[in-house]
Amino acid sequence: MSDLRTDPASRRTLNQRFRPANKRFKGSALLLLVAAAMLLAGCMVKVPMAPHVRDLELKQSLPLEAALLVPSNVRGYVFRGNPESYTGSARPHEFPLGEALEKASLSAFKQVFKQVDIVRSRAEADNYEVTIEPQIQEFHFEYDALSYAGFAVAVISRITIRVTLATGKVVVFEKTVASPPQKRGPWFIDTEYEFQTGRSASDAMVFSLEAIAKEISEDPRVSASLKDSQLRSAAR
């Protein structure tokens, strides 16, 4: 009878038998390593956001001076919540959605109108020909590890934004756009994954605002409504 310690053929057979088990063990260890940073409770994750609105390549801007109405409470809005997924569910997150909304809205709508200024009150907005008021309706985010069998993680964000255009008290346009899921990743190990999370949320916000800005620019009914409202105001 051969000794497993000295017989090369026996050692090879034994190694082959246990190699799949070793791989499974290593895979489980890596899974735990990836999940560990995501599942630690107690620490607030402060998510940085830097939305970037692309060049919308609009044919022309509307020749109007517009007020972008973002009250102080809207600009200061910070979403605080946990991801809608098991992965990372124990860690609360903070998203500066209000600041990001102001920045992205200004970048988007200054491509639509001749001039756009940020104002904090309706009294200030009354000094302009048209008022743009963006509002966040819903925001959701989650981490997806299941799609990658636990060996990597991606983040997915969705947002719903409503924008209202008005001249004085007359609403001439209102549109709500829910972004499709915006994914960033996957990553295997990222000690600064909050930047990926912020990019995902920013992408969702930019998608909705770009869609609304393009519709305002391209829909002839909007420019006609704005012109009619201006004429009515001038006749009073």
Side-chain angles (χ1 to χ4, degrees):
M1 181 174 178
S2 62
D3 189 338
L4 292 178
R5 292 172 298 178
T6 58
D7 183 17
S10 298
R11 287 203 305 271
R12 282 196 300 271
T13 302
L14 191 62
N15 289 338
Q16 290 171 355
R17 185 181 303 168
F18 285 99
R19 188 173 296 135
N22 289 337
K23 287 184 177 179
R24 286 195 297 271
F25 175 77
K26 290 179 181 178
S28 299
L30 291 174
L31 170 59
L32 291 173
L33 183 62
V34 171
M38 306 289 293
L39 296 176
L40 291 174
C43 299
M44 176 71 74
V45 179
K46 294 185 179 294
V47 179
M49 293 183 64
H52 174 70
V53 176
R54 62 190 174 88
D55 183 357
L56 300 179
E57 299 181 349
L58 305 178
K59 294 180 179 178
Q60 60 181 6
S61 61
L62 297 174
L64 299 170
E65 296 181 358
L68 178 62
L69 178 57
V70 185
S72 298
N73 64 314
V74 174
R75 187 186 189 279
Y77 172 61
V78 176
F79 174 89
R80 294 181 177 90
N82 294 43
E84 300 173 359
S85 56
Y86 176 73
T87 303
S89 59
R91 298 198 70 180
H93 288 55
E94 282 188 357
F95 293 79
L97 293 184
E99 291 182 12
L101 179 68
E102 179 181 278
K103 179 179 179 180
S105 296
L106 183 62
S107 297
F109 295 115
K110 71 181 182 180
Q111 299 185 51
V112 178
F113 296 95
K114 179 181 68 176
Q115 178 181 330
V116 178
D117 296 329
I118 297 170
V119 300
R120 301 296 181 207
S121 68
R122 295 193 183 278
E124 291 178 89
D126 287 342
N127 297 318
Y128 291 80
E129 297 171 286
V130 60
T131 301
I132 312 162
E133 186 175 6
Q135 294 179 320
I136 296 170
Q137 302 293 295
E138 294 182 21
F139 176 68
H140 306 271
F141 77 105
E142 61 185 284
Y143 292 101
D144 178 18
L146 293 177
S147 297
Y148 310 99
F151 292 98
V153 181
V155 61
I156 301 170
S157 300
R158 306 184 309 279
I159 199 167
T160 301
I161 293 178
R162 182 178 68 193
V163 172
T164 303
L165 287 186
T167 56
K169 295 181 180 181
V170 179
V171 175
V172 296
F173 173 88
E174 190 171 70
K175 182 73 173 183
T176 300
V177 171
S179 74
Q182 299 295 307
K183 183 174 76 173
R184 285 285 181 152
W187 62 88
F188 173 57
I189 296 177
D190 188 346
T191 58
E192 296 183 333
Y193 67 89
E194 64 270 20
F195 289 95
Q196 298 272 25
T197 305
R199 293 184 190 105
S200 171
S202 297
D203 290 346
M205 178 176 288
V206 166
F207 179 95
S208 294
L209 289 171
E210 286 184 352
I212 295 172
K214 289 188 73 173
E215 182 166 340
I216 292 173
S217 174
E218 295 172 355
D219 189 341
R221 293 171 297 181
V222 174
S223 56
S225 296
L226 288 171
K227 187 177 295 185
D228 290 344
S229 183
Q230 282 182 301
L231 291 174
R232 286 195 298 269
S233 299
R236 289 172 186 168

